[in-house]
Amino acid sequence: MSRIGQTFIALKAHNRKALIPFITAGDPGKGLTVPLMHVLVEAGADIIELGVPFSDPMADGPVIQRASERALANKVGLKDVLAMTAEFRKTNTTTPVVLMGYANPVERMGYEAFAQAAKAAGVDGVLTVDIPPEESTGVSDVFKAHGLDPIFLLSPTTPESRVEQVAAAAGGFIYYVSLKGVTGSANLDTEEVAQKLAMVRKHCSLPVGVGFGIRDAATAEAVARIADAVVVGSRIVNEIETAPEGECTNRVKHLVAELRRGVDAASK
Amino acid sequence: MKLIDLPDSRGHFGSYGGVFVAETLMAALDELRVEYEKARNDPAFVAEFEYELKHYVGRPSPVYHARRLSEAYGGAQIYLKREDLNHTGAHKINNTIGQALLARRMGKKRVIAETGAGQHGVASATVAARYGMECVVYMGAEDVARQSPNVFRMKLLGATVVPVSSGSKTLKDALNEAMRDWVTNVESTFYILGTAAGPHPYPMLVRDFQCVIGRECLVQMPELTGRQPDAVIACVGGGSNAIGIFHPYIPHENVRLIGVEAGGSGVASGKHAAPLTAGTPGVLHGFRSYLMQDENGQIIETHSVSAGLDYPGVGPEHSYLKDVGRAEYVAINDDEALAAFHDLCRYEGIIPALESSHAVAHAKKLAPTLGKDQIILVNLSGRGDKDINTVAKVSGITL
């Protein structure tokens, strides 16, 4: 079983929900990503989502767009992200790492070559935002063959008839996007999400993570009550962007610890 | 599958095209695909589209024998398909009418569009006014500055123009932002995509709406010359005017199809917008095609004197036509395009768009290699009024 699968089983045994923070690799600096990953774990992350910078992040709002631009200015590409993961693995062999990004950098490297390199670096799952199951032939099967979990999205606009198809292609967990819109959007309606998740679970046995619109302990708690995992991206990236120099890791640690308390409050 | 019957049911032209978008848009694209299938087979829809093209756009657009230009270029006879004479001054209106009629059919009251040179933005604002829809146009901040007359036109027509300051501040960034709007407002909004690119079904439906150009030529050329041309030349940014004139000619195997990309400061300089000439396949903006990218798969900035060609990708059908050898693709540099712009002004009394000037510039190279009895058909995709500030600036003149 994959490291992601094991993580969810262990959490379930303790009646806990997963916290999955997101950071963009290379933001704010090339040398800060691995220390930040360790800080995320210390503060309570169960799985780390590591953003692969891309020049045209179509599905992202301004906060993560700017993170991508900073990372690209620091000359961080897919190969560097793999090297960072390998570096992280030298001292952490238990926390799953999911790469999240867009198709083209992976396409350029080649799906087979990427899958080999990612597995060797210690990557556990891959979410390519702009590869839906319809286009994943030759992608998700290659990932699976190398022991990488292909993570797919579901959204409020996904019709029930599609959920099974998405679930069949997916591995690790399903990422339910709680809002229509780009990353960093506001106003999460947990009532509506809960209804949608009930429908999703009828067709999908994988754990379901929920992201978009989670910004503090209260929203993390509300989502943890209905989902298996809570994904937080823009709020953390915003903290990185606004932190004074030298304060970045401290601020992130503080924020993720707060989110952790929110997630755990849901299990009490 | 025959070349003319592509794409397949999932929008693939060989390995190109497809639907590479985030999950939130999948249902909307599926709805569009199903609704377009119904519309194209609905005689009432087709009749209304044709009525609008005739009475609102002014079609058919003429084909004109550019005698003095042909003589000056010293070879083949050059004919111009006058898309510049359409309402709003370019081929773009053919597509925006088709898509606006689809939007109305689907009950969407808000339309959004991306624009580079502003021609598609103007064409979208025009049809939004014509059919009573709200219209928001995304335009790169750099393009807003260099195409100010079109920005004002869009505003006159009641559209909201949103300058986009992310990335390279040009067409590709406007497209990113339009996609972000669509993903946020997907249920109320119809995205009028401006070129034969993007996720399926856009490359197919934009092509179908633009094919009126080539279909008219198939009739007009024999009327004028007694036969079909030896070569058809069109400029290629995203490639909608080119695919519109090429596609009906695909089965006419003796007709050479030549697409002209923006060579900018020269392909060797790296400062250009010629993915078919010097790019590699990849995935951007929802489809697979030739792209301008670096070794890490990041999209690189493009350069062209013509805002409408300043795009790092190209419609997927062109990538396929290149690979199978049915069409040829070449690049024309800024200075060559500018020279052709002035040629057409002086020899024929026609001020062409800088985009279309690239096609004329290639005719200038090709014509002397052909006999005087041979025929080149150039798609003059737009008029150049919008470009007079740019041309003045590069000529060192202050207006």
Side-chain angles (χ1 to χ4, degrees), chain B residues 233-237 256-279 292 303-305 309 311 322 327-338 340 354-366:
Chain B
I233 304 180
C235 65
V236 178
R256 284 174 69 186
L257 306 176
I258 307 172
V260 185
E261 296 191 295
S265 312
V267 169
S269 73
K271 290 181 179 296
H272 60 86
L276 289 166
T277 308
M292 305 263 298
H303 298 268
S304 172
V305 69
L309 301 183
Y311 179 63
K322 171 192 159 77
E328 314 153 47
Y329 295 89
V330 298
I332 283 290
N333 299 348
D334 286 349
D335 54 350
E336 297 169 319
L338 283 161
L354 283 173
E355 291 78 17
S356 322
S357 300
H358 285 71
V360 177
H362 187 66
K364 189 177 189 172
K365 286 186 177 173
L366 182 65

Side-chain angles (χ1 to χ4, degrees), chain A residues 57 104 107 134-135 158 162, chain B residues 10 19 23 180 283 288:
Chain A
N104 202 52
E107 171 120 350
E134 282 82 348
E135 297 291 351
T158 305
R162 240 179 95 72
Chain B
R10 283 168 50 224
V19 186
E23 177 62 26
R180 290 179 188 123
V283 173
R288 183 180 283 123

Side-chain angles (χ1 to χ4, degrees), chain B residues 11 19 27 35 55 72 80 112-113 121 156 174 178 221 226 237 356 360 376 389-390:
Chain B
V19 186
E35 202 51 49
H55 296 282
L80 306 174
I112 56 170
L156 286 174
M221 290 308 291
S356 322
V360 177
I376 297 172
N389 289 323
T390 304

Side-chain angles (χ1 to χ4, degrees), chain A residues 202-240:
Chain A
K202 279 198 282 176
H203 305 280
C204 168
S205 56
L206 289 170
V208 183
V210 170
F212 284 34
I214 300 154
R215 46 197 64 250
D216 50 26
T219 42
E221 180 182 343
V223 169
R225 286 187 190 284
I226 54 175
D228 301 304
V230 178
V231 188
V232 187
S234 295
R235 179 64 189 88
I236 295 170
V237 172
N238 182 59
E239 198 71 10
I240 291 172

Side-chain angles (χ1 to χ4, degrees), chain A residues 35-196:
Chain A
L36 268 172
M37 290 169 79
H38 287 301
V39 161
L40 294 176
V41 176
E42 278 169 43
D46 298 298
I47 297 172
I48 293 173
E49 229 177 54
L50 196 55
V52 181
F54 183 50
S55 51
D56 293 80
M58 256 170 31
D60 284 300
V63 171
I64 294 179
Q65 283 175 47
R66 287 195 298 269
S68 221
E69 283 178 14
R70 286 192 295 271
L72 289 173
N74 294 331
K75 307 234 181 296
V76 172
L78 182 53
K79 284 174 193 154
D80 305 287
V81 180
L82 294 177
M84 289 168 183
T85 308
E87 179 68 26
F88 172 75
R89 279 277 169 261
K90 285 183 181 166
T91 50
N92 182 322
T93 55
T94 53
T95 309
V97 174
V98 172
L99 300 191
M100 181 168 181
Y102 293 81
N104 202 52
V106 181
E107 171 120 350
R108 181 72 204 226
M109 188 181 278
Y111 293 100
E112 180 71 36
F114 164 77
Q116 272 182 30
K119 188 65 194 172
V123 171
D124 300 287
V126 183
L127 198 180
T128 34
V129 178
D130 51 350
I131 304 186
E134 282 82 348
E135 297 291 351
S136 69
T137 318
V139 180
S140 56
D141 42 343
V142 171
F143 290 177
K144 282 179 177 171
H146 287 276
L148 299 170
D149 285 324
I151 315 288
F152 284 96
L153 301 169
L154 290 176
S155 87
T157 59
T158 305
E160 185 162 3
S161 56
R162 240 179 95 72
V163 175
E164 226 160 295
Q165 183 191 358
V166 177
F173 64 96
I174 286 275
Y175 185 154
Y176 181 75
V177 171
S178 63
L179 297 164
K180 294 188 285 285
V182 293
T183 53
S185 310
N187 299 327
L188 178 66
D189 182 346
T190 42
E191 196 80 354
E192 202 182 306
V193 175
Q195 282 177 18
K196 233 4 208 205

